[in-house]
Amino acid sequence: MNLISNTVPTQPVIWPVITIDGPTASGKGTVAQRVAHALGFHYLDSGSLYRLAALAAVRQCVPLTDDKTVAEMSRQLDIRFVGEKILLAGQDVSDDIRSESAGQNASIVAALWQVREALLDRQRAFREAPGLVCDGRDMGSVIFPDAALKIFLTASVEARAERRTKQLKQKGMSAIIDDVVKELRIRDERDINRPVAPLKRLHDAQLLDTTEISADEAVASILDWYSKTPKNSVGV
Ligand code: DC
C-alpha cells in the first residue's frame, strides 16, 4: 500500500518584509512610511519601542542601565498604535517619546541585550499580510534576516542635524544646530559600537545616501528595487 500522500504540502506563507536601517535622523521614518503606504504594507517604527521602554523606565524611576528590570517592563508594556498616535497604558505619549532626551534614553536601553531580547517577538508580530516595511538599526540583521529587500539609509551628519533641527522647530521645540550635531554624534557612536545588534551596513543591503536627494527620490528608488526583487525568494 502506498502510504505517501500525493497532496502538495502547504508551505506557511512568509509575508514579504522591507527593512530600512540607518543612523538617527537619516529620514528612515518618513521614507519607510511612504514606501509602506505605496505598497499597502504595514509599518513598524522599531525605535518607538525603545523610546517607550525608556520612557516607562524613567516614569517608574528605574535606572536606564538596569537591564533585567527594564527588560521585564518592556515585556509588559501596554502599547497601542492608533493612527499617528502612540498610547502607553492608554495615555497619548506621541510627543513625549520624540524629544531629544527621549532619543538619548532610548539609545541607552537599546544597548542592553535583555531589553532587545524582550522586544523581539513584539517586533516580529508586525509581519502580517500583505507585508511589512520596518525601520530601525537591526531590522535586516537580527529581526528579519530573511527580508525580501534590505536598505541601509544614511546621510551626512550635517544634513541629518539640519533636518532634525527643522523638525524640532516645527514642533515648537527649541534647537541649536551645533548641539544637535553633538547629540547625533553621541547617539551614532553608541548605536554603532554597542556589542549587541550594532548599527552596521550589511553586505546584502542596498546603500541609499539621502544627503543630496529628497524623500520622494529615496522612496522611488526603494519601490524600484522592490519591483525587481524576485518574489519567490520571500515565500509568496
Ligand atoms: O530610530 P530612533 O531614533 O527612534 O531610535 C531610538 C533609539 O533606539 C536609537 O538611538 C537606537 C535604538 N534603536 C535600536 O537600537 N534598534 C532599533 N531597531 C531601533 C532603534
Side-chain angles (χ1 to χ4, degrees), residues 24 28 45-48 50-51 98 103 106-107 110 116 123 135-139 187 191 194:
T24 193
K28 302 183 302 292
D45 162 14
S46 64
S48 69
Y50 294 96
R51 287 171 181 266
R98 292 289 153 214
S107 166
R116 302 199 74 86
Q123 293 174 84
D135 72 68
R137 306 294 186 289
D138 63 341
M139 296 293 101
R187 198 120 72 87
D191 294 345
R194 66 183 180 214

Side-chain angles (χ1 to χ4, degrees), residues 114-131:
Q114 291 184 70
V115 172
R116 302 199 74 86
E117 210 41 39
L119 293 173
L120 271 180
D121 290 345
R122 209 186 265 261
Q123 293 174 84
R124 291 191 176 133
F126 279 81
R127 187 177 202 161
E128 284 186 339

Side-chain angles (χ1 to χ4, degrees), residues 14-158:
I14 304 167
W15 300 109
V17 178
I18 300 176
T19 60
I20 305 182
D21 289 306
T24 193
S26 53
K28 302 183 302 292
T30 308
V31 170
Q33 279 181 69
R34 289 195 201 170
V35 172
H37 183 76
L39 295 170
F41 281 13
H42 297 278
Y43 168 60
L44 165 65
D45 162 14
S46 64
S48 69
L49 299 178
Y50 294 96
R51 287 171 181 266
L52 287 160
L55 182 72
V58 168
R59 289 192 171 170
Q60 293 183 38
C61 300
V62 171
L64 293 172
T65 49
D66 181 346
D67 193 358
K68 191 163 177 277
T69 312
V70 182
E72 269 160 26
M73 287 174 54
S74 305
R75 251 184 221 104
Q76 311 295 330
L77 289 179
D78 167 14
I79 302 170
R80 270 185 297 140
F81 294 90
V82 184
E84 298 276 287
K85 290 201 167 112
I86 300 183
L87 308 184
L88 180 62
Q91 192 201 348
D92 182 0
V93 292
S94 322
D95 289 338
D96 301 331
I97 61 162
R98 292 289 153 214
S99 68
E100 278 310 286
S101 64
Q104 291 290 353
N105 291 344
S107 166
I108 295 170
V109 301
L112 308 174
W113 75 268
Q114 291 184 70
V115 172
R116 302 199 74 86
E117 210 41 39
L119 293 173
L120 271 180
D121 290 345
R122 209 186 265 261
Q123 293 174 84
R124 291 191 176 133
F126 279 81
R127 187 177 202 161
E128 284 186 339
L132 173 70
V133 181
C134 52
D135 72 68
R137 306 294 186 289
D138 63 341
M139 296 293 101
S141 56
V142 177
I143 310 296
F144 300 111
D146 63 340
L149 177 64
K150 298 180 188 182
I151 309 290
F152 188 81
L153 195 130
T154 190
S156 71
V157 73
E158 293 77 15

